[in-house]
Amino acid sequence: MKTTEEILQENGLNWNVTKEKLMYAGECTPSANNGLHHTDFYAVVREDTGEAFTTVKEGYTPTQNHVIIDTMRKIAGDNDLEIVKALPINGGRKILVQMAKPDNIVTIGDQKTRQYIYAINSHDGTSALKFGFMNEVIFCSNQFTWLNSNGLKGYVHKQSIQDKVSNLPEILNFEEQDSTIAELHEMSFQPITAKQSTELMDYLTGMDSTQYGWADNYTTRKMNIREDLSHCIFRETNRLGMNKWGLFNGVTMYTSHHKSIPNRENGREESIYTGTGQKMSKDALNYLRNC
């Protein structure tokens, strides 16, 4: 396994965050003779760029990238995993670490897929440390992710991330991963109708195609989104069959390759792991579980 320093250097993560006291400019007073007044707030600042990610109170303790990678290397070593990717998301507001087992190929339906485990930690206070799973269909690179229910629900930035991890007997629920894969495999044998496909598109786009003249009720942008999604579903159900697995692949083809993404570095990964792409795939899977 690569060292922490190698991972940081190779993935553009060799920078720190600092906690800087925030002040505001006002009238000169005996306690602020230069007009600068203290507040109870601090900014979490990326040290190499000076960009402020968020504001916090005094009790917040920043978790440095090298600590995140050190911790992930320990988890990887304890679970027979290898770190294969580490990325800054949204300018470093979140850090994504992707891990895999040596033999990470699993078949769903008749499609070979690669399995990954990932961890996300934020510097902007939007989330605690979370773990999840990602599968990628090798043939077409369709990707979908879901969170591990065993995540660090109680983790906040007021204690050491390493201490918190060491207190948990089991971070990664591989049984949950296996169960979801088995469920998707079973979906490859469950037929769907054209009506169910249309209903899923209605659900995911927030549209109602059952009304007369329904297309006139929506913007060109909304109709283009539906058309792109429909094209992906048509292609994947033709390739994999009119079954729930084929329909789900139509959605993940759209989120993996065609859906609009943030216009910044690693924007596709941001969408698939933490953004609207992840939400759409999750909504599609939950819908198919119940239809």
Side-chain angles (χ1 to χ4, degrees), residues 53-73:
F53 288 154
T54 190
T55 57
V56 296
K57 289 288 190 82
E58 185 177 3
Y60 182 95
T61 301
T63 302
Q64 302 301 339
N65 291 344
H66 70 86
V67 176
I68 296 172
I69 299 301
D70 278 344
T71 306
M72 294 306 108
R73 289 180 73 253

Side-chain angles (χ1 to χ4, degrees), residues 1 71-83 99-103 117 131 133 148 150 165 168-175 177:
M1 185 184 299
T71 306
M72 294 306 108
R73 289 180 73 253
K74 182 180 187 307
I75 291 174
D78 291 345
N79 291 276
D80 191 28
L81 301 170
E82 184 77 21
I83 294 177
M99 299 169 280
K101 291 183 176 181
D103 181 12
I117 298 94
F131 290 87
F133 303 103
N148 174 30
N150 275 17
V165 167
L168 293 177
E170 184 179 276
I171 297 294
L172 298 172
N173 184 358
F174 290 108
E175 290 183 3
Q177 183 185 35

Side-chain angles (χ1 to χ4, degrees), residues 18-35:
T18 61
K19 190 173 74 173
E20 305 293 342
K21 184 73 174 176
L22 290 177
M23 308 179 79
Y24 71 93
E27 296 182 1
C28 293
T29 66
S31 61
N33 57 18
N34 60 355

Side-chain angles (χ1 to χ4, degrees), residues 138-161:
I138 295 175
F139 177 82
C140 53
S141 297
N142 295 344
Q143 300 176 36
F144 53 95
T145 66
W146 69 98
L147 286 173
N148 174 30
S149 62
N150 275 17
L152 300 183
K153 296 178 182 177
Y155 171 73
V156 292
H157 289 256
K158 292 184 179 180
Q159 70 181 111
S160 163
I161 183 176

Side-chain angles (χ1 to χ4, degrees), residues 45-236:
V45 178
R46 178 168 166 169
E47 199 170 39
D48 62 337
T49 64
E51 185 176 6
F53 288 154
T54 190
T55 57
V56 296
K57 289 288 190 82
E58 185 177 3
Y60 182 95
T61 301
T63 302
Q64 302 301 339
N65 291 344
H66 70 86
V67 176
I68 296 172
I69 299 301
D70 278 344
T71 306
M72 294 306 108
R73 289 180 73 253
K74 182 180 187 307
I75 291 174
D78 291 345
N79 291 276
D80 191 28
L81 301 170
E82 184 77 21
I83 294 177
V84 296
K85 182 187 294 185
L87 297 173
I89 299 294
N90 194 3
R93 287 168 174 79
K94 290 183 175 68
I95 305 300
L96 167 69
V97 181
Q98 190 182 81
M99 299 169 280
K101 291 183 176 181
D103 181 12
N104 68 332
I105 306 297
V106 62
T107 299
I108 303 176
D110 62 354
Q111 298 293 295
K112 291 188 180 300
T113 72
R114 293 189 181 95
Q115 290 182 305
Y116 297 95
I117 298 94
Y118 69 91
I120 292 179
N121 193 58
S122 74
H123 288 307
D124 63 1
T126 55
S127 67
L129 175 64
K130 295 179 179 179
F131 290 87
F133 303 103
M134 191 274 272
N135 266 62
E136 179 181 30
V137 180
I138 295 175
F139 177 82
C140 53
S141 297
N142 295 344
Q143 300 176 36
F144 53 95
T145 66
W146 69 98
L147 286 173
N148 174 30
S149 62
N150 275 17
L152 300 183
K153 296 178 182 177
Y155 171 73
V156 292
H157 289 256
K158 292 184 179 180
Q159 70 181 111
S160 163
I161 183 176
Q162 292 166 318
D163 289 346
K164 186 67 181 180
V165 167
S166 67
N167 290 336
L168 293 177
E170 184 179 276
I171 297 294
L172 298 172
N173 184 358
F174 290 108
E175 290 183 3
E176 179 182 328
Q177 183 185 35
D178 294 341
S179 175
T180 300
I181 297 303
E183 182 181 21
L184 289 167
H185 182 71
E186 185 63 27
M187 284 185 179
S188 70
F189 302 102
Q190 297 174 352
I192 51 101
T193 64
K195 182 174 182 290
Q196 287 174 307
S197 176
T198 299
E199 289 172 348
L200 176 60
M201 284 191 286
D202 280 355
Y203 174 69
L204 295 177
T205 59
M207 304 170 81
D208 183 0
S209 64
T210 63
Q211 296 181 351
Y212 177 78
W214 65 274
D216 295 334
N217 298 326
Y218 302 103
T219 64
T220 300
R221 180 178 180 276
K222 193 108 173 178
M223 290 301 297
N224 288 341
I225 290 172
R226 186 187 181 96
E227 183 178 354
D228 288 344
L229 176 60
S230 177
H231 174 76
C232 291
I233 288 174
F234 176 79
R235 176 175 171 178
E236 289 299 87

